[in-house]
Amino acid sequence: MLFSGDLVEFEAGIYTGDAHLQEWPATLEKLRALKPRALVPGRGPALLTPRACERAIAFTQDFVRGLYSCARRGVKQRKSLRDVYRMARRRMDPLYGKYPIYEHCMPFDVSRAYDEARGVKHPRIWTAVRDREMWRQLAD
């Protein structure tokens, strides 16, 4: 039985606003190597078979890779946070948009991915000021 905490989230929006996105997929590989027979994720249902555990790890890994890929591409193209947010939503919504809290998480997820793609190694602390600034940038 593996208790993954928020390293694995399944059939739910994935919060990455404080994450190290480049490192997360490799960390998930370490969890995968443990070959869990059951897994309790940070969000979503408990996984009760090895196959279900693999699906949950892949679900999280695919989300993180897809999100970060959008951010890297946008930063390389010198896009604004708002533009990268739109790019990410176009890519991610069809795959993840139906899951609980996805809508809530995406602005924070894209903001962190954008920062990391621009070279901000450590997540910035979410303050009221930062929150307002993010929303302003997304609305421009």
Side-chain angles (χ1 to χ4, degrees):
M1 169 72 71
L2 175 65
F3 293 86
S4 69
D6 287 342
L7 285 173
V8 177
E9 298 183 359
F10 185 57
E11 294 183 347
I14 298 174
Y15 177 74
T16 68
D18 306 297
H20 293 269
L21 294 156
Q22 293 180 77
E23 298 170 16
W24 196 336
T27 302
L28 290 170
E29 285 301 326
K30 292 176 183 176
L31 292 182
R32 181 178 275 124
L34 296 172
K35 298 183 183 191
R37 293 184 302 180
L39 188 152
V40 178
R43 286 190 183 89
L47 296 310
L48 304 176
T49 67
R51 184 175 178 197
C53 295
E54 172 55 34
R55 282 189 12 247
I57 291 169
F59 178 90
T60 305
Q61 207 166 37
D62 292 346
F63 180 92
V64 170
R65 285 180 174 149
L67 174 68
Y68 191 61
S69 173
C70 286
R72 276 195 335 258
R73 188 170 56 253
V75 167
K76 186 176 181 179
Q77 296 171 358
R78 301 184 187 274
K79 302 277 187 187
S80 68
L81 175 60
R82 180 179 178 214
D83 291 338
V84 171
Y85 180 73
R86 289 178 175 168
M87 290 169 57
R89 293 298 302 259
R90 281 192 300 275
R91 177 177 180 164
M92 309 295 279
D93 285 7
L95 302 169
Y96 303 96
K98 66 183 176 186
Y99 295 112
I101 76 164
Y102 170 82
E103 285 287 331
H104 172 75
C105 292
M106 280 302 284
F108 304 99
D109 292 349
V110 173
S111 182
R112 173 58 192 145
Y114 185 75
D115 274 0
E116 191 167 329
R118 289 180 22 233
V120 178
K121 181 163 176 61
H122 298 288
R124 293 185 291 147
I125 295 172
W126 285 102
T127 63
V129 171
R130 180 170 178 225
D131 192 67
R132 284 190 298 273
E133 178 63 19
M134 177 195 68
W135 288 110
R136 187 193 61 72
Q137 289 177 27
L138 292 177
D140 284 346

